[in-house]
């Protein structure tokens, strides 16, 4: 799962942080040899996918991101690895999120070595050209913020909903229904990307490398994953259909929604 947002990069102090940085270096670096920056990795705001990290999940992700690499465009290769996260913390801001609660952010400080190769990257960060980041991580579940039940995509209605019928984006007794991302399992990397802001300007879903994901699936024992396979099959059928068929399905779904609204 990748979550993308505007980075809001701030400078970090290499003089104060050099001991933390040297936990990850092979040689003893000096403050003059490194460039440091702090970035908002993710927060508890509802994104345009109708999902949000809970405050507890942000706290669970904080230690998982320590020591993880900063990449370019989620390219999992050594040549695209440009920096490393050396410190993380959750911060409760003075702002409110769209649910009315305190806006809590997961902040990460990263370092890169000052050399000719990184000079252009440092200039791009300082000049505000590289500003957007996307975090790649894994969580255990996405649950309904109204009742706590698991949310799933319903192909027939084209909605994400739970078994109690609560639909993402709808309001129930004045409360916005969204998906709570819960149970941090792992954090993989942080990437600079060209997509602006966490609300889809930003939010992307899926594996960082789909080719690798399909190779893993083809070689795996999928016994016991019947429900997940069925959901994937429906998604693959949609992906394999042509543009005209997708448009026809979207029209039928829209007409059914309109009919149900008129009837109800």
């Amino acid at each position: 799962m990748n979550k993308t947002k505007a980075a809001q990069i701030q400078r970090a102090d290499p003089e104060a942080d050099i001991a933390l940085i040297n936990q990850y270096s092979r040689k003893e670096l000096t403050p003059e040899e490194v460039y440091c920056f702090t970035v908002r990795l993710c927060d508890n705001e509802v994104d345009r996918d109708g999902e949000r990290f809970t405050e507890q999940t942000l706290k669970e992700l904080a230690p998982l991101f320590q020591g993880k690499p900063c990449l370019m465009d989620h390219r999992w290769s050594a040549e695209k690895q440009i920096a490393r996260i050396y410190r993380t913390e959750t911060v409760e801001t003075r702002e409110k999120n769209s649910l009315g609660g305190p806006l809590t952010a997961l902040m990460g400080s990263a370092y890169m070595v000052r050399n000719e190769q990184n000079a252009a990257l440092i200039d791009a960060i300082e000049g505000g050209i590289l500003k957007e980041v996307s975090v790649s991580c894994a969580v255990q579940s996405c649950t309904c913020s109204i009742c706590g039940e698991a949310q799933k995509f319903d192909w027939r209605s084209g909605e994400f909903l739970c078994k109690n019928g609560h639909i993402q984006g709808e309001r129930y007794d004045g409360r916005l229904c969204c998906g709570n991302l819960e149970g941090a399992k792992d954090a993989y990397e942080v990437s600079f990307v060209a997509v602006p802001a966490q609300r889809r300007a930003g939010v992307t879903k899926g594996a960082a490398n789909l080719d690798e994901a399909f190779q893993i699936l083809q070689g795996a024992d999928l016994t016991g994953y019947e429900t997940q396979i069925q959901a994937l099959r429906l998604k693959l059928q949609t992906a394999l259909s042509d543009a005209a068929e997708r448009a026809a399905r979207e029209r039928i779904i829209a007409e059914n929604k309109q009919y149900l609204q008129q009837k109800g």
Side-chain angles (χ1 to χ4, degrees):
M1 172 183 298
N2 303 326
K3 289 290 182 182
T4 311
K5 75 170 291 91
Q8 301 181 22
I9 293 176
Q10 305 169 6
R11 291 183 183 178
D13 184 0
E15 190 78 39
D17 294 346
I18 195 64
L20 293 174
I21 292 169
N22 277 322
Q23 294 181 71
Y24 301 102
S25 63
R26 290 285 302 273
K27 74 167 190 174
E28 197 77 9
L29 296 170
T30 66
E32 294 73 26
E33 291 179 297
V34 297
Y35 171 77
C36 305
F37 58 93
T38 298
V39 62
R40 181 183 291 193
L41 301 176
C42 48
D43 53 38
N44 65 341
E45 180 58 276
V46 180
D47 59 41
R48 288 190 182 177
D49 262 352
E51 298 174 345
R52 64 184 285 270
F53 291 106
T54 66
E55 293 80 357
Q56 179 60 33
T57 304
L58 292 174
K59 292 178 181 178
E60 293 167 357
L61 283 172
L64 298 178
F65 271 110
Q66 292 177 10
K68 297 303 166 64
C70 297
L71 310 178
M72 295 295 291
D73 298 315
H74 292 298
R75 297 279 298 278
W76 288 17
S77 65
E79 65 177 347
K80 295 299 182 180
Q81 186 169 314
I82 60 172
R84 189 168 298 279
I85 300 291
Y86 64 86
R87 180 179 60 206
T88 58
E89 61 177 333
T90 54
V91 177
E92 187 174 302
T93 72
R94 296 181 179 180
E95 304 172 64
K96 297 287 186 181
N97 61 28
S98 58
L99 300 179
L103 180 63
T104 302
L106 174 57
M107 308 296 294
S109 295
Y111 78 94
M112 66 175 67
V113 178
R114 287 186 181 272
N115 54 29
E116 291 184 7
Q117 181 181 352
N118 289 335
L121 286 170
I122 294 172
D123 287 344
I125 294 172
E126 287 288 300
I129 305 303
L130 287 177
K131 293 179 63 177
E132 288 76 43
V133 297
S134 170
V135 297
S136 180
C137 61
V139 296
Q140 292 178 355
S141 62
C142 179
T143 61
C144 174
S145 63
I146 302 299
C147 66
E149 294 289 343
Q151 282 190 341
K152 295 182 179 180
F153 180 74
D154 184 86
W155 185 86
R156 292 166 298 181
S157 65
E159 305 281 4
F160 279 91
L161 46 78
C162 69
K163 69 178 186 179
N164 293 325
H166 298 133
I167 301 172
Q168 273 189 14
E170 300 292 333
R171 290 187 177 274
Y172 300 89
D173 295 327
R175 296 169 58 197
L176 176 67
C177 178
C178 64
N180 284 335
L181 300 173
E182 298 183 305
K185 295 173 61 179
D186 204 351
Y188 306 119
E189 44 90 1
V190 180
S191 282
F192 281 102
V193 294
V195 181
Q198 185 174 353
R199 296 173 62 81
R200 202 186 290 205
V203 180
T204 58
K205 287 291 195 307
N209 189 321
L210 283 176
D211 291 336
E212 182 179 348
F214 275 112
Q215 289 177 5
I216 293 172
L217 279 174
Q218 289 171 356
D221 180 3
L222 299 178
T223 304
Y225 289 86
E226 289 79 7
T227 301
Q228 294 91 328
I229 293 172
Q230 177 68 6
L232 180 60
R233 184 179 67 81
L234 293 173
K235 192 169 185 178
L236 290 173
Q237 284 178 339
T238 301
L240 291 171
S241 60
D242 58 26
E245 183 179 349
R246 288 196 296 270
R249 288 182 178 180
E250 291 173 359
R251 187 188 72 252
I252 293 171
I253 290 172
E255 290 173 352
N256 287 341
K257 287 182 179 179
Q258 185 178 7
Y259 170 77
L260 291 174
Q261 288 173 353
Q262 293 174 348
K263 186 176 180 181

